Amino acid sequence: MSNVLDVVIELFTWVGLGVGILLAVAALILYVADGTWVPVRAVVEDVDGHRVVRWFDEHGGVNEAPLSSHDDARIGSADMADIFARRGSSHRMRLTQSSPVVRFVALLAAGVLGLGVVAFTVSIVLLFTRG
């Protein structure tokens, strides 16, 4: 029975550390690819039956982006909103500064790496307790 336990712990160690490192690298690549998002104050307007937000960028240009139904529901009936605009792009905005995908992959990487570290620690403890 102890051999089966050793194999399971070893499997969790290698899979946890290997997959965790790969996920951490993927999260880093996604973070860099996501770019820089700056906070701006936007005006919400009705245009042709749908709502759009308009804001000024750091160069003084006027930018515009349509609101998705989810973003429109979160903003509600407000005529101004605090949004985050992608630096270097004139029509990209979102309501959160960090990407939910990047956050999910980073948390998944942390959890899988944590599993690998715990399995490694249990393996070392079992090694010394068995003599």
Side-chain angles (χ1 to χ4, degrees):
M1 186 66 182
S2 72
N3 288 339
V4 173
L5 181 63
D6 289 340
V7 168
V8 169
I9 290 173
E10 190 77 17
L11 181 70
F12 278 136
T13 299
W14 286 107
V15 170
L17 294 178
V19 173
I21 289 171
L22 288 175
L23 283 171
V25 169
L28 180 63
I29 290 169
L30 286 172
Y31 176 75
V32 170
D34 189 40
T36 303
W37 294 79
V38 293
V40 294
R41 185 84 170 148
V43 176
V44 181
E45 296 180 347
D46 289 319
V47 175
D48 296 330
H50 65 281
R51 296 178 72 191
V52 298
V53 289
R54 293 187 177 135
W55 68 94
F56 292 107
D57 61 15
E58 61 264 8
H59 303 295
V62 178
N63 301 304
E64 177 182 323
L67 283 175
S68 67
S69 59
H70 175 68
D71 291 341
D72 192 17
R74 284 190 59 195
I75 290 176
S77 63
D79 55 351
M80 294 196 80
D82 293 319
I83 63 169
F84 294 90
R86 172 98 188 255
R87 179 173 284 155
S89 179
S90 60
H91 302 293
R92 293 189 61 194
M93 59 75 65
R94 63 183 178 205
L95 298 179
T96 59
Q97 187 169 12
S98 62
S99 170
V101 173
V102 173
R103 191 176 327 122
F104 172 74
V105 174
L107 287 174
L108 185 63
V112 173
L113 275 170
L115 175 69
V117 168
V118 167
F120 178 73
T121 304
V122 168
S123 175
I124 296 298
V125 167
L126 286 176
L127 179 72
F128 284 112
T129 57
R130 289 182 185 158

